[in-house]
Amino acid sequence: MKLHLLALVALCVSGCATYNYRVIQPPNVPAVISKQPVLVHYDPLEYHLRRFHNRLAIRIFNPTGDRMTLVGNRSYVVDTRGESHPIRGRMIGPHSFTGMLMPPMPASSPYPAWYAWGPGWGWGPGWGLGWYDPLWGPYYAEGFWGPPPISYYTVYTAYDWVWKKGAARFRFTYERNGKFFEHNFEIIREKQKK
């Protein structure tokens, strides 16, 4: 009991590290990005950058009357280790915005975790008394014990990466009326000073 209490106190005292972000490129953005959004005007678009649950939240505003396309196969991020990752393409309608988190949240998917108890152990086809057995059904069905437990697994793709600390480089390539243009960012992630 004392060990559990000591572990709880240590967890409360240590806390979790909080990170801030600084824009290095373009050079005209001196502010530190934290919970308050920082506006970066990068003609013809506007970027609102802020920290969201220790990730960088990027909102790209299109104040023009033209449709903008963030071209996914021409856009990328280079992480702190130098590895390139694609950025998902998206459409930004006139006078609207789109948002993204960097690094993106990996997708997770639920699947039921079925458990069975009894003599022996193994996986595969067979017979036995299970959740929906006619004899034991009233005692072991979902209506009696609730639904089976759910487990989650994470699906990692080329879009997913880890940003612990250091500089990451972003290239956003857009298409507007058949012409391409690029916006380049270099942003540093660093621990918040207390």
Side-chain angles (χ1 to χ4, degrees):
M1 181 67 173
K2 290 180 185 179
L3 185 59
H4 290 101
L5 184 60
L6 182 62
L8 180 64
V9 169
L11 182 64
C12 291
V13 170
S14 67
C16 294
T18 303
Y19 291 87
N20 285 333
Y21 300 88
R22 276 188 306 117
V23 178
I24 303 301
Q25 182 185 354
N28 58 354
V29 184
V32 172
I33 300 166
S34 60
K35 285 193 171 202
Q36 296 302 316
V38 171
L39 174 66
V40 179
H41 183 75
Y42 212 140
D43 196 43
L45 303 173
E46 291 180 352
Y47 294 84
H48 293 214
L49 309 171
R50 73 180 185 99
R51 185 182 72 221
F52 181 76
H53 295 291
N54 273 340
R55 292 186 187 271
L56 178 65
I58 302 173
R59 278 196 177 172
I60 306 168
F61 285 82
N62 176 10
T64 71
D66 296 329
R67 178 186 73 185
M68 304 280 180
T69 304
L70 176 58
V71 184
N73 62 356
R74 292 184 175 206
S75 301
Y76 58 86
V77 59
V78 178
D79 68 18
T80 56
R81 299 177 311 148
E83 184 177 357
S84 294
H85 303 276
I87 294 175
R88 294 187 197 281
R90 56 197 74 203
M91 190 74 58
I92 311 170
H95 307 288
S96 67
F97 71 93
T98 187
M100 65 181 83
L101 290 176
M102 290 294 167
M105 298 285 284
S108 62
S109 181
Y111 63 92
W114 297 95
Y115 301 101
W117 290 271
W121 144 253
W123 294 92
W127 62 273
L129 302 176
W131 286 90
Y132 300 104
D133 187 87
L135 178 62
W136 296 101
Y139 302 107
Y140 294 106
E142 287 186 26
F144 187 78
W145 293 104
I150 301 293
S151 296
Y152 291 88
Y153 64 94
T154 304
V155 179
Y156 292 99
T157 67
Y159 298 97
D160 301 314
W161 52 285
V162 176
W163 195 359
K164 291 186 179 181
K165 64 180 183 177
R169 293 178 289 138
F170 301 87
R171 172 165 291 170
F172 300 111
T173 303
Y174 298 93
E175 185 267 326
R176 176 185 189 184
N177 297 328
K179 295 182 181 173
F180 293 96
F181 65 94
E182 296 174 347
H183 289 167
N184 294 304
F185 286 87
E186 184 172 355
I187 300 175
I188 293 180
R189 184 177 196 249
E190 57 196 2
K191 276 190 180 180
Q192 182 177 13
K193 296 175 183 169
K194 294 183 180 186

